[in-house]
Amino acid sequence: MALLTSSDLQAIGLTLQVAAFTTAILLLLGTPLAWWLARTRSWLKKPMGALVAMPIVLPPSVLGFYLLVFMGPNGTVGQWTQSLGLGLLPFTFAGLVVASSFYSLPFMVQPIQNAFANMGTRPLEVAASLRASPLDVFFSVVVPLCKPGFVTGAIMCFAHTVGEFGVVLMVGGNIPGVTRVVSVQIYDHVEAMEYSDAHRLAAVMLGFSFVVLLALHVYNGAQRKGAGA
Amino acid sequence: MKLRIKNLTPGAVALAFSAVTLADQAQVAVAANFAEPIKAVAAVLEKTTGHTLKVTLGSTGKLYAQIKNGAPFDVLLAANTATPAALESDGLSTPGSRFSYATGKLVLWSADANKVDAKGDVLKSGNFRKVAYANPKTAPYGAAAVQVMDRLGLTSTLTPKLVQGESIGQAFNFVHTGNAELGFVAMSQVLEGGKLKGGSMWLIPQALYSPIQQDAVLLQHGANNPAAQALMKLLQSPNIKDLIRSYGYDI
């Protein structure tokens, strides 16, 4: 007997894809945002910081509900995506990625922002005095110095997206192969009282999250040791 | 204003006293299709007896799983007959308390007033992006929608367009927000005072799906709860039956 059903495997594959896309998008969008938050003296810093952190405290049902309203045909985002010829986002893979990007934003931005802040301005000043271009400074100085922040942000973002449930339940529409991610598949098994199916898939998730967090701790430990040596 | 106790008759004092001491509260698990009617029923119950209801909405299958795992509900208003029967054989309900409080009707509904025609031909036209229904594994209205699609021979053409809500409540939300142009929902969700609240609908002929007979059952947890007992009695009274009919149910 197979350990997991083919629909379970499909859900796992889909979940990994959503998490990978979300992580890539948030690396691109979250890095400049984190840079701005770490460097700015604008009065907007605190309101923006609060906005970025909101998905940590907001119930996913709030996020899911508003996404359905705003991405729907009567919502501002929905009218915009339709006018661009993209159609509507709810019930699509792209819609899940957009929803996940909101949901996982703080998990990417905050570690990177902390790394930027801890680095201070000194390395930037030194590099500038050696006439390095801003782009060169970023890739030759900032990225290597802040690598632990990027790694932590990416891993937390990926893992958090994999573990997402409420938002995808509300905007996904539970379509196999398109929006039925692992958490929804497990919920479905439990609701239908298919407990042994639920157990097997839930155990996979349990193992996955332990391994990810363990790897993160080991990595961070090694970084600290390296920095101390 | 001073309260003049002298002017109160002994009867009025007794009534006020009894209303305070005898008003109980029942926890009721209600299938999502009955969300609107249960509000009206609760209002009548409170007005006539002082008893109040705390309502938990969900799909029948989900509520069943919760009750089996010890959820402290006093009454279940299911969207089928099988679940209350199963609870009886599980020994989780009061024997002989089961009765039918409504027979539900399935409709095809759109928030757009011009989308759904009187014969439901829009389903065959394919002139829509998504059609919503409730999870057929846990929601009887979802299972009925599957029967309708089967009997119309549309299952394979509609499958790529299906989106699934966890209960009929979520399916309704998908259509209400316009994200799905069409949806198989309960008639009770789209009627108010016996009239269509908005959008357009097709009342699906009963020949296309098995009757959605909905049974109520008094659970063991509520066996001695006066509010739960009063609700069971009220649901069988002629006035309440008329009220339930006004939401598009048969009784």
Side-chain angles (χ1 to χ4, degrees):
Chain A
M1 193 194 70
L3 194 62
L4 295 168
T5 66
S6 64
S7 64
D8 287 346
L9 292 173
Q10 190 181 41
I12 289 175
L14 182 70
T15 305
L16 295 177
Q17 280 180 51
V18 171
F21 271 99
T22 304
T23 306
I25 287 172
L26 285 183
L27 262 178
L28 288 177
L29 298 181
T31 303
L33 182 58
W35 182 262
W36 183 82
L37 283 170
R39 291 274 165 265
T40 185
R41 289 183 184 169
S42 159
W43 63 274
L44 276 170
K45 177 179 174 145
K46 287 204 164 99
M48 279 301 289
L51 265 180
V52 168
M54 265 171 79
I56 296 174
V57 295
L58 271 185
S61 50
V62 172
L63 221 51
F65 174 67
Y66 278 133
L67 285 170
L68 263 188
V69 170
F70 287 117
M71 302 196 308
N74 306 316
T76 38
V77 178
Q79 284 174 349
W80 181 65
T81 55
Q82 277 183 313
S83 71
L84 291 177
L86 298 171
L88 295 171
L89 288 171
F91 318 131
T92 64
F93 180 84
L96 280 200
V97 172
V98 169
S100 303
S101 299
F102 279 107
Y103 181 70
S104 295
L105 181 70
F107 295 86
M108 179 66 87
V109 171
Q110 291 185 344
I112 300 178
Q113 183 189 339
N114 289 340
F116 287 161
N118 290 337
M119 176 186 67
T121 52
R122 185 81 186 129
L124 304 178
E125 287 160 9
V126 172
S129 72
L130 295 171
R131 296 191 186 173
S133 72
L135 212 63
D136 191 17
V137 173
F138 185 78
F139 284 105
S140 308
V141 179
V142 177
V143 170
L145 279 175
C146 297
K147 196 174 136 208
F150 283 104
V151 172
T152 304
I155 290 177
M156 289 303 287
C157 172
F158 189 90
H160 198 247
T161 307
V162 167
E164 177 189 350
F165 171 63
V167 176
V168 292
L169 186 75
M170 287 193 73
V171 305
N174 205 351
I175 306 167
V178 181
T179 60
R180 186 184 286 171
V181 293
V182 169
S183 58
V184 174
Q185 176 87 349
I186 295 172
Y187 180 75
D188 231 49
H189 282 319
V190 174
E191 294 292 278
M193 287 184 272
E194 299 158 354
Y195 295 133
S196 53
D197 290 319
H199 266 308
R200 282 191 285 268
L201 198 50
V204 170
M205 283 302 288
L206 209 65
F208 168 80
S209 35
F210 179 75
V211 168
V212 166
L213 292 177
L214 181 67
L216 194 62
H217 280 293
V218 169
Y219 173 78
N220 279 339
Q223 286 294 319
R224 264 192 292 277
K225 227 184 242 170
Chain B
M1 194 191 81
K2 279 185 189 170
L3 185 66
R4 284 181 291 180
I5 293 174
K6 267 189 290 184
N7 290 0
L8 290 174
T9 62
V13 172
L15 192 70
F17 189 68
S18 69
V20 171
T21 53
L22 292 181
D24 282 287
Q25 191 170 62
Q27 289 267 2
V28 197
V30 179
N33 75 86
F34 208 65
E36 289 295 318
I38 193 65
K39 285 185 210 159
V41 171
V44 173
L45 185 74
E46 188 165 358
K47 207 173 164 189
T48 54
T49 65
H51 296 312
T52 52
L53 298 181
K54 268 185 139 175
V55 173
T56 300
L57 295 170
S59 69
T60 299
K62 171 197 194 144
L63 296 169
Y64 176 62
Q66 289 182 330
I67 292 163
K68 280 208 69 155
N69 289 299
F73 295 124
D74 300 313
V75 172
L76 169 69
L77 301 185
N80 63 3
T81 56
T83 301
L87 285 167
E88 197 167 288
S89 59
D90 292 339
L92 291 168
S93 72
T94 311
S97 68
R98 192 152 51 92
F99 68 91
S100 172
Y101 65 95
T103 300
K105 288 182 201 155
L106 189 70
V107 299
L108 183 74
W109 180 67
S110 171
D112 179 343
N114 303 314
K115 197 83 194 172
V116 181
D117 54 283
K119 289 180 176 172
D121 286 336
V122 63
L123 268 184
K124 291 169 203 155
S125 77
N127 185 22
F128 54 90
R129 204 175 62 94
K130 292 288 174 200
V131 54
Y133 72 135
N135 188 339
K137 285 201 277 188
T138 56
Y141 281 83
V146 170
Q147 285 183 347
V148 171
M149 290 185 271
D150 270 349
R151 293 201 185 156
L152 291 174
L154 293 172
T155 303
S156 56
T157 54
L158 289 178
T159 299
K161 299 190 168 203
L162 286 177
V163 290
Q164 197 181 90
E166 285 318 298
S167 70
I168 198 77
Q170 204 194 352
F172 180 81
N173 180 41
F174 285 157
V175 189
H176 185 71
T177 53
N179 285 299
E181 291 89 336
L182 299 176
F184 290 97
V185 301
M187 197 179 187
S188 53
Q189 294 174 298
V190 299
L191 289 191
E192 194 171 67
K195 282 186 188 158
L196 187 62
K197 270 190 276 190
S200 51
M201 76 160 199
W202 171 45
L203 177 57
I204 298 171
Q206 294 274 325
L208 291 176
Y209 61 97
S210 327
I212 308 173
Q213 191 188 325
Q214 306 190 189
D215 279 5
V217 74
L218 182 64
L219 299 168
Q220 280 299 351
H221 189 270
N224 300 314
N225 182 326
Q229 290 161 347
L231 172 65
M232 295 296 277
K233 205 172 143 195
L234 184 67
L235 283 170
Q236 299 178 72
S237 72
N239 284 347
I240 288 294
K241 285 185 178 176
D242 283 344
L243 178 80
I244 293 173
R245 278 189 200 102
S246 76
Y247 285 93
Y249 293 95
D250 285 336
I251 301 184

